[in-house]
Amino acid sequence: MNALALALLVTLGATEQSYGPYARPERGGNHSIAVARNGALLAWSERDATGYARVHVLLLDASGRAISPLSVLPAVMPNRSAYVPSVGTDGESFLVVWEEVSGQQQTVAMAVDAHGIPTGAPRAIGYDKGFDATAYEPRTVTWAGSDYVIPFTRMRGVRVARDASINGIVNEPRPVPVAIANDGAEMSWSLLAVPTYIGGGFPYGARFGPPRYTLSFSVYHPSGGRGASEDMNFDLPSTPAIITHGNDFVMTWSARQTVYYRRMTSERSVVFADVDEQSRPDVACTAERCVIAYATRRGDVHAFAFDPATPDAREHFTVATSDRVEHEVQVAMLTGHRALITWRSDGNRLAGRVVSFGKPKQRAVR
């Protein structure tokens, strides 16, 4: 009998790519990557000479090298800092979304063309509001076929055109999607803290321990052809990273010493690991493989790859290990057989490494 086996043959780039050091803000200096036809756009937040943070963008090739000039995106409000950029793509050009914060807070977007060059002007796509916790949470930027969908809350969001102009408000009786499959299925998630009852009189005098968290995933299909949902309880999970995989979704998240991952249409898989619970794992996929990378509590970067059809068959490898502290890990599939794994190192250094994989081979199984 013959079976298709995944020959990973993991090869790490000989040296790390370095995109820094930079004057990163103490909080909100996250980076983001999106891959399009001409390359991968890397965006990050960096303080300028005046002390304000601005979003910087750079287009990378299939080897993780810069192929565009470094561009600094202007702020809508010059007296505010620009934090937590997120990058979305329609497959050709890009949309970069960030938060501008200084007492008040506003979500801003700007278009970047296929060659990594900013076009037009930055546009406010959210109302000015008082500072809240989302100042340091990157937005999800999802291409919906004709424009981008950007959630503000689980039930409210905005539709944004390629040129960063607003197409309309999303305010429907279902959650705003964070990923949209090829067949139109929409994925959303929520995380709810539930107090743990210990004892005592109820409701007065009741004693509660540390909360447990309910992590919920749900799928909605506009045609009504498919829907799914699942709730799971954890002591302290990270937020999930979710991507589209054909007509399905692949997601990953972490909890204490554990990395979880799954396709929505299959059971979840578990990797017991020394994962840093404060740094969310990330995932990227092609048709034949997925790569999940995460930071460890020791400050290193680890990863594993698997065939989505057989998710429990994994190949583990170490991406970075040093005396530095690496965290804020991101993964992007540059080609069908090359992944770029990036991370923030010692606060002010942005680094990355290209990982190459062998092609699947037909093997005889006796």
Side-chain angles (χ1 to χ4, degrees):
M1 180 175 67
N2 290 333
L4 188 64
L6 182 66
L8 289 172
L9 301 177
V10 177
T11 304
L12 297 177
T15 58
E16 295 178 3
Q17 303 280 352
S18 181
Y19 308 107
Y22 298 125
R24 307 293 289 278
E26 184 174 332
R27 293 186 64 187
N30 303 54
H31 71 283
S32 177
I33 313 173
V35 180
R37 188 183 306 275
N38 288 347
L41 191 73
L42 175 66
W44 68 92
S45 178
E46 176 184 348
R47 291 195 305 272
D48 63 16
T50 67
Y52 289 107
R54 294 291 180 259
V55 174
H56 295 55
V57 297
L58 195 64
L59 192 68
L60 310 177
D61 66 10
S63 297
R65 295 186 294 259
I67 54 174
S68 76
L70 174 65
S71 296
V72 181
L73 306 189
V76 169
M77 302 290 287
N79 62 341
R80 295 183 183 180
S81 285
Y83 295 134
V84 289
S86 292
V87 185
T89 180
D90 60 2
E92 295 285 346
S93 60
F94 304 92
L95 186 75
V96 183
V97 176
W98 65 87
E99 300 296 308
E100 291 190 2
V101 178
S102 180
Q104 297 290 102
Q105 174 183 346
Q106 190 169 50
T107 306
V108 175
M110 189 170 184
V112 176
D113 70 15
H115 304 289
I117 306 302
T119 61
R123 300 171 185 259
I125 61 171
Y127 294 110
D128 208 10
K129 62 179 182 178
F131 176 87
D132 63 28
T134 62
Y136 302 112
E137 290 294 327
R139 302 288 181 190
T140 302
V141 185
T142 303
W143 178 246
S146 58
D147 54 15
Y148 294 93
V149 177
I150 301 165
F152 289 152
T153 67
R154 187 167 185 258
M155 304 298 290
R156 286 181 57 84
V158 64
R159 304 187 76 94
V160 178
R162 288 182 176 92
D163 65 357
S165 60
I166 295 178
N167 276 353
I169 302 299
V170 180
N171 188 17
E172 302 183 19
R174 65 176 187 271
V176 179
V178 297
I180 301 175
N182 292 351
D183 64 355
E186 301 175 355
M187 166 67 78
S188 63
W189 67 272
S190 65
L191 184 62
L192 177 66
V194 180
T196 303
Y197 175 69
I198 295 177
F202 195 87
Y204 303 106
R207 292 180 291 113
F208 295 92
R212 285 182 62 82
Y213 294 82
T214 298
L215 179 60
S216 300
F217 297 104
S218 62
V219 175
Y220 169 82
H221 203 292
S223 68
R226 177 162 63 93
S229 63
E230 181 172 343
D231 294 344
M232 292 168 285
N233 293 319
F234 300 93
D235 288 338
L236 186 62
S238 71
T239 57
I242 303 173
I243 61 168
T244 298
H245 190 258
N247 291 335
D248 204 350
F249 303 94
V250 176
M251 60 208 75
T252 185
W253 67 98
S254 65
R256 287 190 176 91
Q257 299 184 12
T258 310
V259 176
Y260 296 90
Y261 64 101
R262 66 173 293 184
R263 295 171 66 188
M264 191 62 196
T265 53
S266 64
E267 297 296 323
R268 74 174 183 258
S269 299
V270 175
V271 171
F272 297 106
D274 183 34
V275 60
D276 177 6
E277 298 152 14
Q278 304 302 313
S279 183
R280 185 188 73 172
D282 197 29
V283 58
C285 294
T286 62
E288 60 192 23
R289 73 169 52 82
C290 292
V291 179
I292 291 176
Y294 58 93
T296 72
R297 290 185 298 176
R298 296 176 181 271
D300 301 327
V301 179
H302 290 185
F304 57 92
F306 58 94
D307 183 336
T310 56
D312 287 328
R314 300 178 291 264
E315 180 80 4
H316 294 259
F317 52 97
T318 299
V319 181
T321 179
S322 69
D323 293 333
R324 301 185 300 269
V325 176
E326 280 97 15
H327 61 115
E328 191 192 306
V329 178
Q330 297 281 302
V331 188
M333 296 301 300
L334 300 176
T335 69
H337 307 290
R338 307 189 84 184
L340 174 64
I341 300 175
T342 56
W343 59 92
R344 188 170 168 183
S345 180
D346 273 355
N348 290 333
R349 181 173 175 268
L350 185 59
R353 175 164 278 169
V354 173
V355 183
S356 300
F357 303 91
K359 295 183 180 181
K361 297 180 179 179
Q362 193 77 19
R363 291 181 178 176
V365 178
R366 299 181 182 273

